[in-house]
Amino acid sequence: MSNQIRPLIAGNWKMNGDAGSFLEVEAIKDKMAANVVNADVAICPPATLLHRVSAALYESDVATGAQNCHAEAKGAYTGDISVDMVKEAGGSYVIVGHSERRDGYSESNEDVAAKASAALAGGIVPIVCCGESLDVRESGKAIDVVVEQIIASCPDFAASQEIVVAYEPIWAIGTGKTASADDVAEMHDAIRAALVERFGEQGAAIRILYGGSVKPANAAELLAVENVNGALVGGASLKADDFWGIISAA
Ligand code: 13P
């Protein structure tokens, strides 16, 4: 982890969570209040729970965010939510370009950049995701593909405000397989170099999260890697004990 960058540990609940999840939210809030935490922490629940989770975490050290947004401010976009809606529901982050949306909804780099732009214009922090498939990893082109993807997914003015990048190898998501610390180091170094080339000094300050089967048992090793500035956590963010295990590893 680069010492000068405060890590971000963000939980992506995906399409999970219900009224019972508030016990987990309260438990995380209590642990955060009772301990000194050297990381920013955020929870991104489904859109229907965002308002309630934000209210439960009001004035705590845990921020909230959405898992997606539309690039437009309003209009005839059935089923979508705008950046202002995320903000009104209390969110200060939005995940954009998750591989589950790129693959499931054919989101292109341009779509992702437009969403990230909308988030920045609206004053919330986009967490822009990238990551390669197993085929790409096995073909030896992972670094080229991911660097091209992330650069094309970040709007031009990205670094003048806060933006977060998340590297999530698709083959490591929800599979229990984690990229090795060496592979993560190589990829995060390449992403850092590309961000610095594109954004200059400001690119050196952008947080680059790792995601893909992060758990309490592997968090310390992954978070110790140079240029890993936090984690985007799926399954393990649903249980307060597991999520706390990752937060405390930071
Ligand atoms: P898992 O931690 O469940 O592998 O999910 C990672 C992820 O996709 C977070 O956005």
Side-chain angles (χ1 to χ4, degrees):
M1 196 146 55
S2 313
N3 290 336
Q4 66 277 29
I5 300 182
R6 184 174 167 84
L8 168 66
I9 308 296
N12 173 10
W13 284 11
K14 309 192 179 183
M15 198 171 73
N16 297 293
D18 54 26
S21 310
F22 284 86
L23 290 175
E24 308 297 329
V25 171
E26 292 295 340
I28 282 294
K29 183 177 155 181
D30 291 349
K31 285 182 193 294
M32 291 286 292
N35 292 276
V36 176
V37 177
N38 296 316
D40 291 337
V41 176
I43 293 176
C44 301
T48 50
L49 290 177
L50 181 55
H51 193 276
R52 281 180 67 194
V53 173
S54 301
L57 292 171
Y58 184 64
E59 291 192 333
S60 78
D61 286 333
V62 185
T64 60
Q67 300 172 13
N68 183 35
C69 67
H70 200 282
E72 297 297 329
K74 62 180 175 180
Y77 302 105
T78 303
D80 274 309
I81 57 171
S82 71
V83 168
D84 277 353
M85 291 171 186
V86 173
K87 271 169 49 179
E88 196 173 46
S92 45
Y93 291 89
V94 61
I95 299 169
V96 293
H98 194 284
S99 60
E100 287 153 14
R101 295 207 60 89
R102 290 179 186 267
D103 290 351
Y105 300 88
S106 306
E107 286 187 8
S108 66
N109 292 334
E110 293 70 31
D111 296 331
V112 177
K115 291 176 183 210
S117 248
L120 290 168
I124 64 174
V125 179
I127 301 176
V128 185
C129 302
C130 59
E132 82 284 1
S133 65
L134 189 56
D135 283 354
V136 168
R137 166 71 42 188
E138 286 175 347
S139 73
K141 298 199 178 95
I143 289 188
D144 289 349
V145 166
V146 169
V147 164
E148 191 192 328
Q149 193 184 40
I150 196 62
I151 291 305
S153 300
C154 287
D156 288 334
F157 63 98
S160 59
Q161 292 169 60
E162 189 183 352
I163 185 169
V164 175
V165 164
Y167 166 59
E168 300 199 300
I170 296 169
W171 47 271
I173 295 177
T175 57
K177 291 184 198 152
T178 324
S180 71
D182 284 349
D183 285 344
V184 173
E186 191 183 27
M187 183 62 81
H188 280 237
D189 285 353
I191 294 172
R192 173 69 66 213
L195 292 172
V196 169
E197 191 182 324
R198 170 108 186 258
F199 299 117
E201 286 268 294
Q202 290 165 326
I206 294 174
R207 293 195 269 209
I208 309 173
L209 314 185
Y210 170 79
S213 298
V214 178
K215 310 183 255 296
N218 60 23
E221 187 189 7
L222 290 163
L223 291 168
V225 173
E226 182 73 16
N227 282 317
V228 172
N229 314 117
L232 184 54
V233 185
S237 69
L238 295 167
K239 289 277 167 235
D241 283 348
D242 290 343
F243 198 41
W244 177 249
I246 295 167
I247 295 166
S248 45

